[in-house]
Amino acid sequence: MSFFGFGQSVDVDILLNDADSRRRAEHKTEDGKKDKYFLFYDGETVSGKVSLALKNPNKRLEHQGIKVEFIGQIELYYDRGNHHEFVSLVKDLARPGEVTQSQAFDFEFTHVEKPYESYTGQNVKLRYFLRATISRRLNDVVKEMDIVVHTLSTYPELNSSIKMEVGIEDCLHIEFEYNKSKYHLKDVIVGKIYFLLVRIKIKHMEIDIIKRETTGTGPNVYHENDTIAKYEIMDGAPVRGESIPIRLFLAGYELTPTMRDINKKFSVRYYLNLVLIDDEERRYFKQQEVVLWRKGDIVRKSMSHQAAIASQRFEGTTPLGEARTPGPLSDSGNRQ
Amino acid sequence: MSDTAVADTRRLNSKPQDLTDAYGPPSNFLEIDIFNPQTVGVGRARFTTYEVRMRTNLPIFKLKESCVRRRYSDFEWLKNELERDSKIVVPPLPGKALKRQLPFRGDEGIFEESFIEERRQGLEQFINKIAGHPLAQNERCLHMFLQEEAIDRNYVPGKKQLNFSLEAGRQRLTKIFEYSSYTQGKSKSSHSKDGLATL
């Protein structure tokens, strides 16, 4: 939270009405630190108070007006002067006059549109914040409070698997498959690599998650690639006919939803990069885009239902809750 | 129907591997040994040759076994041909050792046993690195170097085509590569998103 204004004779604070009940979410700041901010979704009302506390109760505060704004803006790091505001709402709290005692001003921004998710990246930042301003002749007193916005999606209707045969002619032919093309942020990538032809000496294989942040338009497009994860899926030399499984849990990595052409200013896209390395450190790779999306939290089902699902996956386990009576070994011995 | 909280992480179905594939010889066998250095000639006209023996089961090589004699300048020729014609960054050769060729040395100069052994090792590393490179395997100069009795320096440089397609029905495609550690940050091939071509 930033705090401008000198000659502070007054402390300004912005407080939300639902501060007790509203959830907070962690969000990375520009310098890499993680902070918690109040979490909002699209369409939610933002209401609260701006409280003024006079430092010296005997001194009056003359002002040219008090207002509070709700702002959503995109800031490109290479062009800091120009903030692009895509949401800008203002409420006047007080006409020019005097503040003689500490007081609070209520405000409400009803059903505010928040079309994009908050994002702090390498070259661009998208943020939402409340800004309270006390206008004065020489210098304003300004207080900002950042909030975090998440955009939620539901399970996509169409979510086909990605399956492709790629290779280098007469050298290396593989077929790779990923079970979906769209994954939510806590999802699992389940896939496999099938070797059709192996005429090179492979040493190991890994799968990387690459984030590509694209800023700028036309001739000034700039891509910033960042390898978020490297996950070895095979160690050793495969031969023809071998299948290597992939199981990559996304919840362990710092990921955001795929953001496409946000306000025509930037994009954030994710790619899976399958890399095979041979014994002379040569790298053979295939990149494939995956769409990431944010799932809303669901109410957890009862534990027994979850256990029932889990047990169906493994042959021979007994679901919890079934009575197990001790008996001769031949009866219970077949359970794994 | 509401979704479950537990993700399905079961493996995807895959074809069981044929046992002859599983236990048979791998299709990537390629070994090149450099040994038996011999110094030929007399006086100032002496030079050392090395035996280059190759064993492989890669179809791109006409002979599954070959044995030729090569000298250091032959390796230099190969390096130059590859640097000019192929897109790969060619690994370094062991040193030229010009200082060792100056007169009035206390030792045998370039015919010193330890030096020959050092050079032999360097040449072996060099040729193995190159011969395993899919792009280099495409160059006629490599095949001539490894499998023909003598190097014809007036040859016509070009790419080698397989005489037959082993995988019937697949189309021929250009090989696309990108190397990182091999090129140490400098890539001779045009930047491509993929290091593998889609069939």
Side-chain angles (χ1 to χ4, degrees), chain B residues 8-72:
Chain B
D8 187 355
T9 56
R10 287 173 296 187
R11 288 193 186 187
L12 300 180
N13 291 330
S14 53
K15 299 176 244 202
Q17 188 181 24
D18 191 69
L19 285 180
T20 52
D21 284 337
Y23 293 103
S27 333
N28 58 7
F29 179 64
L30 172 65
E31 267 175 28
I32 304 181
D33 298 309
I34 298 202
F35 62 107
N36 197 7
Q38 272 168 22
T39 304
V40 297
V42 285
R44 291 295 215 89
R46 278 181 299 169
F47 60 92
T48 309
T49 63
Y50 305 83
E51 209 165 305
V52 180
R53 181 179 62 193
M54 179 172 112
R55 284 165 302 173
T56 184
N57 66 0
L58 297 181
I60 196 152
F61 290 105
K62 206 165 78 174
L63 302 173
K64 297 308 157 216
E65 269 189 40
S66 67
C67 201
V68 295
R69 284 223 142 239
R70 296 283 180 252
R71 57 184 292 188
Y72 183 85

Side-chain angles (χ1 to χ4, degrees), chain A residues 280-306:
Chain A
E280 297 288 358
E281 305 300 323
R282 288 180 283 256
R283 299 161 68 86
Y284 309 76
F285 56 91
K286 175 78 186 106
Q287 226 178 77
Q288 183 64 41
E289 181 173 9
V290 286
V291 172
L292 298 186
W293 56 280
R294 187 183 289 280
K295 186 160 75 106
D297 286 333
I298 48 159
V299 176
R300 288 193 176 278
K301 295 203 182 316
S302 65
M303 275 309 293
S304 60
H305 183 57
Q306 283 201 13

Side-chain angles (χ1 to χ4, degrees), chain A residues 110-272:
Chain A
T110 330
H111 301 313
V112 184
E113 214 185 285
K114 305 176 204 74
Y116 312 119
E117 172 147 329
S118 297
Y119 175 75
T120 302
Q122 305 275 65
N123 299 296
V124 60
K125 183 157 76 168
L126 189 154
R127 62 187 269 244
Y128 295 86
F129 57 98
L130 288 159
R131 185 203 283 148
T133 310
I134 306 177
S135 303
R136 296 198 300 187
R137 248 176 305 129
L138 287 177
N139 43 45
D140 297 342
V141 178
V142 177
K143 174 81 179 191
E144 284 185 1
M145 184 182 96
D146 274 52
I147 61 157
V148 152
V149 171
H150 284 172
T151 53
L152 301 179
S153 307
T154 51
Y155 276 98
E157 267 174 39
L158 215 59
N159 199 353
S160 50
S161 65
I162 301 171
K163 191 167 176 171
M164 231 183 266
E165 235 182 71
V166 296
I168 293 162
E169 198 190 345
D170 301 318
C171 253
L172 175 67
H173 294 170
I174 62 170
E175 183 192 76
F176 72 86
E177 185 178 346
Y178 304 131
N179 62 333
K180 304 182 199 173
S181 34
K182 302 177 186 152
Y183 291 94
H184 63 81
L185 300 183
K186 307 272 180 261
D187 215 333
V188 188
I189 298 178
V190 174
K192 72 176 206 288
I193 310 294
Y194 180 72
F195 287 90
L196 293 149
L197 179 72
V198 189
R199 294 215 184 107
I200 54 172
K201 294 178 187 165
I202 296 173
K203 208 164 57 168
H204 62 98
M205 178 165 65
E206 67 184 40
I207 190 160
D208 302 342
I209 303 177
I210 297 181
K211 169 175 141 185
R212 182 173 300 156
E213 183 191 279
T214 305
T215 46
T217 51
N220 300 324
V221 168
Y222 179 67
H223 300 292
E224 177 101 35
N225 289 336
D226 187 20
T227 303
I228 304 271
K230 277 184 188 234
Y231 189 72
E232 184 176 271
I233 56 174
M234 178 187 82
D235 185 17
V239 291
R240 177 170 64 191
E242 271 193 72
S243 262
I244 303 296
I246 299 169
R247 188 182 290 138
L248 181 54
F249 290 83
L250 294 177
Y253 303 107
E254 263 183 45
L255 301 168
T256 71
T258 293
M259 300 171 84
R260 257 187 271 231
D261 204 26
I262 299 301
N263 214 245
K264 302 201 206 304
K265 293 266 178 282
F266 71 95
S267 295
V268 181
R269 302 170 90 132
Y270 289 88
Y271 301 84
L272 291 180

